[in-house]
Amino acid sequence: MAHKVMLVEDEEALALLLKYNLEKEGYEVLWEARGGKVISEIEKNMPSVIILDWMLPEISGVELCKMVRNKPDIKAIPIIMLTAKGEEEDKIKGLTAGADDYVTKPFSIPELMARVKSQLRRAPEPIAEKELIFEDIRMDLVAKKVYRGDNYVHLGPTEFRLLKMLMENVGKVFSREYLLKTVWGDNIYVESRTVDVHIRRLRKTLNQFGSDYIRTVRASGYALDKNPIKED
Ligand code: CA
């Protein structure tokens, strides 16, 4: 399984060049050109290393670095800061913000690749998840099949993706808008009511073989919960 590298760089030409070279090294590259969505994308994709530009639109690299370090679930991910500033003071600022390494622009591609490799040596190997388990629900991610106890649960592709999302984040409440964006994708026009329709379908199929673990949170969304409080 390839290591994921999150590349946060607003200079498109440089980003594309880095993406190309990182992919050539066998990494999977996730590219963000603006600061705004970076934290949620990191949480969603859990990259092995983050390459973070100093000057970014929306949220600066230093701010993002601090935010990553303050979030328990992602704080251990190594960060390499990229900067056009060569001053010692900025380097110190970057390292105090929590960066693991610091590369000054212009840098050579082999140099950055070596830095990435060195950070990855510290990062744990990504383990390919083969199944998700919650209570009596088992999701086989390889065969893309769901079981409840000994029963095979036949789900449509959308219900499968919805359940996967919920099983990967047990207890976390997802808004309809967030589910729409991640399960259906950004470019498809679907009403948020559609989410309710598919959740209903998912519940109906899943609950044939056991109790209801999907929690509806009024005005907020849905979560997977062992003891869901019924609000609907
Ligand atoms: Ca920049």
Side-chain angles (χ1 to χ4, degrees), residues 3-230:
H3 273 294
K4 283 183 197 167
V5 177
M6 167 81 70
L7 172 63
V8 190
E9 170 59 73
D10 58 319
E11 228 175 286
E12 193 176 346
L14 177 61
L16 292 176
L17 178 70
L18 293 179
K19 187 172 184 287
Y20 170 79
N21 282 280
L22 288 162
E23 283 171 351
K24 218 169 68 180
E25 295 285 323
Y27 306 128
E28 184 187 336
V29 180
L30 310 149
W31 173 36
E32 283 292 319
R34 318 174 73 81
K37 283 200 303 185
V38 168
I39 297 293
S40 62
E41 285 302 305
I42 293 172
E43 287 179 316
K44 202 170 96 190
N45 296 291
M46 294 307 282
S48 301
V49 66
I50 303 161
I51 301 175
L52 190 55
D53 185 30
W54 181 285
M55 298 287 280
L56 287 169
E58 295 167 6
I59 307 174
S60 79
V62 175
E63 281 310 308
L64 284 170
C65 194
K66 285 186 197 158
M67 286 162 85
V68 169
R69 291 301 176 244
N70 283 323
K71 286 191 165 275
D73 52 330
I74 56 173
K75 66 188 285 184
I77 303 174
I79 296 175
I80 303 172
M81 288 278 279
L82 298 184
T83 178
K85 313 171 176 189
E87 283 113 39
E88 201 60 19
E89 195 190 314
D90 288 326
K91 181 171 178 173
I92 292 162
K93 226 192 257 174
L95 294 175
T96 348
D100 297 272
D101 202 353
Y102 189 96
V103 181
T104 308
K105 292 179 188 173
F107 50 83
S108 76
I109 295 291
E111 186 195 347
L112 183 66
M113 294 303 132
R115 304 283 187 106
V116 170
K117 212 170 276 177
S118 138
Q119 290 303 325
L120 284 175
R121 268 200 290 273
R122 299 176 36 220
E125 276 296 313
I127 305 157
E129 261 188 302
K130 292 204 172 70
E131 59 176 22
L132 295 169
I133 294 171
F134 177 74
E135 296 298 313
D136 59 340
I137 308 168
R138 186 169 66 85
M139 176 175 276
D140 182 334
L141 294 171
V142 181
K144 295 211 185 295
K145 283 180 175 171
V146 175
Y147 299 89
R148 252 199 122 158
D150 295 329
N151 303 295
Y152 167 63
V153 183
H154 182 79
L155 294 179
T158 305
E159 285 72 35
F160 184 90
R161 285 200 299 274
L162 267 174
L163 181 61
K164 180 167 180 274
M165 186 87 200
L166 295 172
M167 286 185 79
E168 283 172 335
N169 301 276
V170 172
K172 186 168 171 180
V173 180
F174 288 109
S175 68
R176 288 169 178 82
E177 291 68 32
Y178 187 83
L179 288 171
L180 268 183
K181 216 177 78 185
T182 47
V183 174
W184 277 263
D186 258 336
N187 305 317
I188 298 167
Y189 178 75
V190 205
E191 285 179 71
S192 61
R193 258 186 326 130
T194 311
V195 177
D196 300 334
V197 172
H198 286 271
I199 288 277
R200 206 173 303 144
R201 212 175 279 168
L202 172 63
R203 261 199 179 121
K204 199 177 160 197
T205 318
L206 208 53
N207 297 351
Q208 293 175 79
F209 308 110
S211 52
D212 189 8
Y213 289 138
I214 298 173
R215 180 176 156 217
T216 307
V217 185
R218 188 171 299 148
S220 295
Y222 297 100
L224 196 64
D225 208 313
K226 195 179 163 185
N227 299 301
I229 308 145
K230 295 291 160 206

